[in-house]
Amino acid sequence: MAHKPVQKFVTSQRIPISYWDWGNEAAPPLVLVHGGKDHARQWDRIAEALRHDYHVVALDLRGHGDSGWSPGGTYGLPDNAIDVVRVIEAVGAPARVLAHSYGGSASLIAA
């Protein structure tokens, strides 16, 4: 039976950034970052498979899923990288990051 994640928010540059938390806070954090034109819940099956070994969270990049839109249309890699860092700060650093496509580029800059 699948575990239901809990939705949480962190503020990054005055924008609410949504992330989903699969629990297991005693384990090392693992942050999942989606690609362009996607959202955090695309990771559900992977998060479910990894939640026993990691504290898995998946964020919605700004302008995606339940995260806020950027005033003035700032959606560049540096802004998304800051959002990734804010989520890592919320769940605890250091964190492992698993990313796809555009999320990988944002995560690389965040590193």
Side-chain angles (χ1 to χ4, degrees):
M1 185 166 159
H3 175 80
K4 294 193 186 243
V6 175
Q7 186 177 32
K8 299 180 179 182
F9 288 86
V10 65
T11 300
S12 179
Q13 302 177 80
R14 295 176 283 169
I15 297 170
I17 301 298
S18 167
Y19 67 97
W20 294 87
D21 189 331
W22 276 261
N24 196 10
E25 288 83 5
L30 173 64
V31 178
L32 308 176
V33 187
H34 65 80
K37 298 183 183 178
D38 218 330
H39 55 85
R41 297 306 298 271
Q42 70 118 25
W43 293 105
D44 281 2
R45 289 184 6 207
I46 291 168
E48 185 65 28
L50 297 174
R51 74 180 187 87
H52 299 288
D53 297 318
Y54 297 98
H55 175 198
V56 180
V57 301
L59 70 133
D60 285 319
L61 293 171
R62 59 178 57 210
H64 294 77
D66 293 329
S67 286
W69 291 83
S70 179
T74 307
Y75 296 99
L77 285 171
D79 295 295
N80 281 289
I82 291 170
D83 300 345
V84 171
V85 170
R86 294 293 174 259
V87 171
I88 291 170
E89 290 173 344
V91 299
R96 291 157 176 83
V97 177
L98 178 61
H100 173 256
S101 191
Y102 181 85
S105 297
S107 298
L108 183 61
I109 291 172

